[in-house]
């Protein structure tokens, strides 16, 4: 799933550079934290290894020490915060957020503290939904891609449903091999056409 998402990101990068050079594209990776992935580093990104196998994890980590914590959690909350900051810098009125995920949030921030919580905790869900709502209010069109293959329990897709309803966005429930067509369709349909008066 990770490699499929990486291939799609690289294809999007190529499409924007070749056909829509006036557009800008940024990549944000979210794990226990979140960071901007420079385009030159995109081919080298890899998934974070699972390092804790306990059934229940309740960790409270200062943000400044987050790089020393287990990295395999899903901090979509922090990822959305970073994406909102990036979009605020853009002057375009056509702003789109594409979220590719294979699970619901298992981490969130509260001030200068990051909570790593497994099984997923409602606090992480609420924090993430609030952040997504803020992004939508600031004019971002949100498309969520839920990678749903190989799962014995699909309870987490309810989170994607909530996210989509709250942001008035769109959701794609897809497999890794169908991800690229969904992303391309969403990107092209989300571009606002400009009208010129002669």
């Amino acid at each position: 799933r990770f490699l499929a998402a990486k291939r799609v990101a690289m294809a999007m990068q190529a499409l924007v550079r070749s056909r829509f050079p006036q557009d800008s594209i940024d990549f944000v990776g979210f794990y226990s934290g979140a960071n901007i992935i420079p385009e030159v580093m995109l081919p080298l990104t890899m998934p974070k290894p699972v390092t804790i196998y306990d059934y229940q994890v309740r960790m409270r980590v200062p943000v400044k020490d987050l790089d020393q914590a287990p990295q395999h959690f899903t901090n979509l909350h922090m990822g959305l915060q970073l994406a909102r900051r990036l979009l605020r810098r853009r002057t375009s009125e056509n702003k789109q957020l594409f979220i590719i995920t294979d699970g619901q949030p298992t981490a969130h921030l509260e001030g200068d503290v990051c909570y790593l919580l497994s099984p997923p905790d409602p606090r992480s869900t609420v924090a993430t939904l609030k952040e997504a709502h803020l992004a939508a209010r600031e004019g971002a069109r949100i498309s969520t891609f839920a990678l749903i293959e190989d799962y014995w329990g699909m309870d987490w897709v309810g989170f994607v449903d909530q996210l989509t309803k709250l942001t008035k966005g769109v959701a794609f429930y897809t497999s890794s091999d169908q991800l690229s067509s969904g992303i391309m369709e969403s990107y092209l349909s989300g571009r606002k056409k400009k009208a010129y008066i002669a």
Side-chain angles (χ1 to χ4, degrees), residues 45-127:
T45 58
M46 293 301 290
K48 306 293 184 185
V50 175
T51 56
I52 295 179
Y53 297 95
D54 297 342
Y55 172 74
Q56 187 171 41
V57 178
R58 296 289 185 256
M59 293 181 73
R60 185 176 186 266
V61 182
V63 172
K64 65 180 178 56
D65 299 329
L66 198 50
D67 59 337
Q68 297 167 27
Q71 297 296 299
H72 62 274
F73 289 81
T74 304
N75 198 339
L76 180 53
H77 177 236
M78 192 173 180
L80 286 168
Q81 286 181 334
L82 187 50
R84 282 181 56 222
R85 284 198 296 274
L86 289 169
L87 287 176
R88 275 192 222 116
R89 296 182 202 157
R90 306 292 183 217
T91 56
S92 170
E93 58 185 65
N94 183 28
K95 298 177 181 182
Q96 298 189 66
L97 273 174
F98 300 96
I99 300 169
I100 301 172
T101 187
D102 64 357
Q104 68 191 83
T106 54
H108 71 282
L109 299 178
E110 290 182 18
D112 293 334
V113 176
C114 182
Y115 289 84
L116 306 176
L117 307 167
S118 180
D121 188 280
R123 292 177 295 167
S124 295
T125 299
V126 169

Side-chain angles (χ1 to χ4, degrees), residues 1-2 5 30 73-76 98-106 128 143-149 151 154 156-157 159-161 163 171-176 179 183:
R1 290 182 299 269
F2 187 90
F30 55 94
F73 289 81
T74 304
N75 198 339
L76 180 53
F98 300 96
I99 300 169
I100 301 172
T101 187
D102 64 357
Q104 68 191 83
T106 54
T128 304
S143 301
T144 307
F145 296 84
L147 301 179
I148 58 173
E149 69 235 339
Y151 278 94
M154 298 300 297
W156 69 272
V157 298
F159 164 75
V160 175
D161 291 339
L163 177 67
F172 294 79
Y173 301 90
T174 185
S175 60
S176 298
L179 180 61
I183 291 259

